[in-house]
Amino acid sequence: MSTKYPELKQVANLTLQSAAKREFWKLLCVEPTYLDGDEEMRRFFGSKVVDSAEASSKKGARGSRRGAHASSAAMSRYHLVKPPDSWSHIMRSNQGGVDMEAVPEEELLRRKSTTFREEKWWTFTHSQSYKKAELRFLSAVAVGDPNAFAEILRESPWHIDTLLQLSEVFRQQEDYSHATELVERGILAFERAFAPSFSITTGLSRLDFDRIENRPFFLALHRQVLQLERRGCMRAAFEHARLLYSLNPSEDPHGALLHLDYLAPRSGMNDWLLKFLDTWEKVDNEEPTGEGAPRLNPKFLPGMAYAKALAMWSLENQTGDKAHEKSTEALIEAVLTFPSVVPVVADKAGILLPGEVRGLPSMRIEPGWIPSDPAASTIHLLSHLYAHRSVSIWKQPTHVEWMQKTISKIPLSQLGGGTKSTTMKPRTLLSRSLAFFSEGPTLDLFRHVIITENRSLIGFFSPAMVNHTTMHAYDPVPPASSVTNYDDAYFGQEMKRNFQREQQARARQMVQRAMQQHRAQGGVLPGDIEDADLADPEVQRMLLQRILAAHAGGGAGPELEPPVRAGGMPGGFEDDDGFEDEDEQDEAEAAGAAEQGGGILQTLWDGLWGRPTDGDEEEEEEN
């Protein structure tokens, strides 16, 4: 019965769980009411202001994600994304080849030691037609042709990797409206495939990150968190981060906790944060992992200690407690446990520290990786991540004054690296955190830094990790434990052979058309291009680059450059160390934008949605 009806087993487990577990699962439940960033803006600014801004946005962008939603039936069916009217033509299509099924318990237990008995694990699955679209997508990434994405989406409007990759193209051009719309469309593609028993409101549905089919959902949610933070929709961002964490709370592969330690105090979810920190260890102790890999304790993250103090301060403030004794004790504990946060926050927030405090070894700001102490490298990395995101909170005059007064209360002898604490608790927690990160910053932290684009923090990772980790925009930093990938086992040999033959034929036609157009405009091509093997993908990329250079320069073009590397398009990583120089990148993007005049991006968008007819334009103007 439990195999055929897994929900019955889940109900049985729920009746046996402890009060601590019931509380913890409740804390992981998403509140759908607060997922909509637009609604949050309306609550904050008022409907008239937001609707006026949306009307202006709609005139300036075809297919803007803002505007009237689809039918009320569609709105009630979906929680994560409310599809607007402009999506009506793709909403009528099928699910796009994505489905969902339960992960067999026996298989999961062989691979993971961190699962809880009550959790229900799921995985998305792909149809053969979806896999064919995936092959086309990987080919477009390898060639570096963003226009191919529009062609894929015209035929497969719910292909998620294409939606997310093209979103990065628009985001890097600072077209945030279109970038956000594509991410939301990707999230909706997943939600349309949810199994009836998969729920974001029970706190018990999990997704196996080791499967390539699932990782884009984590990525889409993470990008949604970032865009909601950018817009100032903190409660909506909190709910999305809570969902991202709940998909795999034992491992947190995308570092959702590194958002929650900021978003919980920022969105007023202070009581949630205190209950969460209090309940987690109770649940972990009830069902230990034994000799397996330990779960990630949120208290091991420096930001959580400071977020706890902030949450307590806010709750005291709400009750009229101006003494703030308990929150100050919590802040002292945070400073004694993780002193590395203090100087970084102080520099960013303008908090003045006494000279004798700044001169202490425990207040030293480390610039990067410490070869002799990988664990300390991790603590300093986490301190920078927290300070970078939470500086807006600590900049508030009341918190500046609070931090300064609290630091002055701590004897210098207790700030000497945390070795002479008045109690054992802070030192013990620091020791446990250092033990957990004994091998240095993890792949999960690397993935978080890559996605959030905190490039200045790459130096905190070991050179081996930076130089030898696989990085693609569609699957940034895949886990070493991955059980499915885009390989022969996923596609099948016959599908790959057929696709390669089709692609070679299409690529030859594309290059031949480019050569014909170049000649028709009076261009001259060198003899080595005329004699090239057009069936070779590497040659195809080189020829396209050379033809474009020749066309731009009016002649044969410069010497042949190496082809664009896989992933070396917008949203990819181009340098040998995985990153471009930021100044050079900014200059190149600015020059490219000025030269193209936005035409390429507009062509891409028109290809996705179709050019508006005169009637459509008139209707939009009337609205």
Side-chain angles (χ1 to χ4, degrees):
M1 287 289 290
S2 63
T3 303
K4 188 173 182 181
Y5 302 104
E7 62 273 13
L8 295 180
K9 181 177 181 180
Q10 190 173 10
V11 171
N13 284 332
L14 289 175
T15 62
L16 300 176
Q17 62 186 307
S18 67
K21 280 190 173 182
R22 286 196 298 271
E23 178 68 19
F24 189 66
W25 308 144
K26 183 179 178 182
L27 291 169
L28 297 186
C29 295
V30 174
E31 296 187 50
T33 304
Y34 298 102
L35 284 166
D36 192 334
D38 289 341
E39 288 301 316
E40 182 173 345
M41 298 287 280
R42 288 186 175 90
R43 288 193 297 269
F44 191 80
F45 294 107
S47 296
K48 290 185 178 180
V49 175
V50 175
D51 290 342
S52 176
E54 289 177 351
S56 300
S57 174
K58 189 175 180 182
K59 289 181 180 179
R62 169 69 177 170
S64 172
R65 67 184 186 89
R66 299 179 174 86
H69 289 297
S71 67
S72 57
M75 288 183 64
S76 62
R77 179 182 175 186
Y78 303 111
H79 295 305
L80 298 177
V81 176
K82 305 300 184 186
D85 281 340
S86 58
W87 295 8
S88 58
H89 61 295
I90 60 171
M91 291 297 294
R92 290 190 292 268
S93 63
N94 57 29
Q95 290 185 190
V98 181
D99 209 338
M100 179 179 260
E101 64 183 29
V103 177
E105 183 177 354
E106 56 276 13
E107 177 203 335
L108 195 69
L109 293 176
R110 284 200 305 268
R111 295 190 287 110
K112 293 183 180 293
S113 61
T114 58
T115 59
F116 290 102
R117 288 188 301 270
E118 298 85 355
E119 294 174 331
K120 181 60 185 175
W121 287 79
W122 300 86
T123 182
F124 290 105
T125 59
H126 294 163
S127 67
Q128 290 297 103
S129 62
Y130 190 94
K131 292 179 180 181
K132 290 179 181 177
E134 191 66 43
L135 273 173
R136 293 185 61 193
F137 165 77
L138 295 176
S139 176
V141 171
V143 174
D145 180 17
N147 290 285
F149 297 151
E151 184 179 347
I152 294 172
L153 291 180
R154 279 195 295 270
E155 297 180 13
S156 306
W158 296 106
H159 187 256
I160 296 156
D161 281 343
T162 303
L163 290 166
L164 298 183
Q165 186 90 8
L166 189 54
S167 171
E168 284 297 279
V169 175
F170 284 103
R171 188 190 62 80
Q172 291 196 5
Q173 296 294 329
E174 298 184 357
D175 187 346
Y176 297 115
S177 179
H178 288 152
T180 299
E181 180 169 352
L182 290 167
V183 170
E184 290 181 345
R185 201 164 122 192
I187 292 174
L188 185 60
F190 281 116
E191 189 171 9
R192 283 158 56 95
F194 283 176
S197 298
F198 181 90
S199 174
I200 64 174
T201 59
T202 63
L204 287 167
S205 293
R206 305 287 180 260
L207 208 57
D208 188 0
F209 191 73
D210 288 338
R211 296 174 182 269
I212 188 68
E213 297 90 342
N214 299 332
R215 293 200 285 272
F217 188 47
F218 287 83
L219 178 60
L221 286 176
H222 199 164
R223 288 184 178 164
Q224 185 77 330
V225 170
L226 293 172
Q227 74 88 10
L228 288 167
E229 287 180 352
R230 181 186 60 80
R231 292 177 61 199
C233 303
M234 297 304 174
R235 181 57 192 274
F238 169 84
E239 293 297 339
H240 282 82
R242 172 157 57 172
L243 173 58
L244 180 61
Y245 177 70
S246 74
L247 294 177
N248 191 341
S250 297
E251 298 170 343
D252 191 18
H254 268 253
L257 288 171
L258 302 176
H259 289 286
L260 290 170
D261 62 12
Y262 160 67
L263 289 170
R266 189 73 170 78
S267 63
M269 297 298 289
N270 300 298
D271 191 53
W272 177 91
L273 181 68
L274 298 180
K275 289 180 180 178
F276 171 73
L277 292 174
D278 181 59
T279 308
W280 191 94
E281 283 190 310
K282 295 178 182 178
V283 173
D284 184 55
N285 291 334
E286 282 189 21
E287 200 172 331
T289 60
E291 297 181 359
R295 303 181 181 100
L296 173 59
N297 188 337
K299 291 184 179 180
F300 292 168
L301 307 176
M304 281 296 176
Y306 290 83
K308 176 182 177 181
L310 285 169
M312 295 175 69
W313 190 95
S314 296
L315 292 173
E316 290 169 348
N317 214 38
Q318 291 174 15
T319 59
D321 180 1
K322 302 301 181 183
H324 295 294
E325 291 182 2
K326 291 186 177 180
S327 61
T328 299
E329 290 176 3
L331 182 56
I332 290 174
E333 182 178 331
V335 172
L336 291 175
T337 308
F338 300 108
S340 55
V341 173
V342 175
V344 187
V345 167
D347 285 354
K348 291 180 178 295
I351 299 172
L352 299 178
L353 300 177
E356 59 270 22
V357 173
R358 289 301 300 253
L360 293 171
S362 61
M363 295 290 166
R364 173 184 172 85
I365 298 179
E366 292 291 344
W369 169 253
I370 308 171
S372 61
D373 198 345
S377 300
T378 310
I379 299 301
H380 283 283
L381 165 67
L382 293 169
S383 300
H384 279 272
L385 277 168
Y386 173 74
H388 173 78
R389 193 163 286 137
S390 299
V391 63
S392 61
I393 300 177
W394 287 104
K395 271 186 175 181
Q396 298 175 22
T398 51
H399 292 147
V400 169
E401 181 183 4
W402 180 40
M403 175 68 85
Q404 291 176 166
K405 287 184 177 180
T406 301
I407 294 293
S408 67
K409 293 179 180 179
I410 306 175
L412 289 178
S413 61
Q414 295 185 29
L415 289 171
T419 58
K420 297 181 180 180
S421 303
T422 54
T423 65
M424 291 299 293
K425 189 175 181 181
R427 188 173 62 182
T428 300
L429 180 58
L430 176 59
S431 299
R432 291 170 61 199
S433 180
L434 290 170
F436 184 86
F437 295 112
S438 60
E439 297 183 6
T442 62
L443 279 177
D444 296 335
L445 290 176
F446 193 30
R447 187 180 303 112
H448 180 90
V449 169
I450 293 294
I451 293 169
T452 57
E453 295 193 326
N454 286 301
R455 300 186 179 189
S456 61
L457 302 182
I458 294 298
F460 283 94
F461 295 88
S462 69
M465 182 175 291
V466 174
N467 294 329
H468 302 294
T469 299
T470 302
M471 285 186 287
H472 295 289
Y474 57 86
D475 186 20
V477 193
S481 56
S482 183
V483 296
T484 62
N485 297 286
Y486 293 140
D487 53 17
D488 289 349
Y490 172 87
F491 292 110
Q493 289 288 351
E494 184 177 355
M495 180 184 291
K496 288 191 70 173
R497 282 194 296 267
N498 293 337
F499 175 79
Q500 287 170 355
R501 285 194 290 268
E502 293 173 5
Q503 286 298 99
Q504 287 174 0
R506 294 175 63 179
R508 282 196 296 270
Q509 293 175 359
M510 180 176 64
V511 174
Q512 288 169 349
R513 284 198 301 269
M515 294 169 63
Q516 292 170 359
Q517 291 174 1
H518 183 66
R519 293 193 198 95
Q521 297 176 14
V524 179
L525 295 173
D528 59 342
I529 287 184
E530 301 286 358
D531 300 331
D533 179 10
L534 299 184
D536 188 335
E538 293 292 316
V539 173
Q540 293 165 8
R541 285 196 291 272
M542 288 189 288
L543 290 182
L544 283 175
Q545 288 183 2
R546 188 111 178 240
I547 292 169
L548 289 173
H551 181 66
E559 289 298 315
L560 197 62
E561 297 291 336
V564 176
R565 207 173 49 183
M569 60 192 311
F573 308 99
E574 299 181 347
D575 285 353
D576 291 339
D577 61 357
F579 295 91
E580 294 181 75
D581 180 84
E582 292 187 64
D583 292 335
E584 293 177 1
Q585 183 188 27
D586 291 342
E587 292 173 5
E589 288 179 357
E595 181 177 329
Q596 295 169 3
I600 291 178
L601 290 180
Q602 187 58 52
T603 300
L604 278 172
W605 196 253
D606 289 341
L608 291 176
W609 298 103
R611 292 186 178 277
T613 64
D614 294 339
D616 291 336
E617 291 178 341
E618 291 173 3
E619 182 180 346
E620 288 184 6
E621 290 176 2
E622 290 174 2
N623 293 335

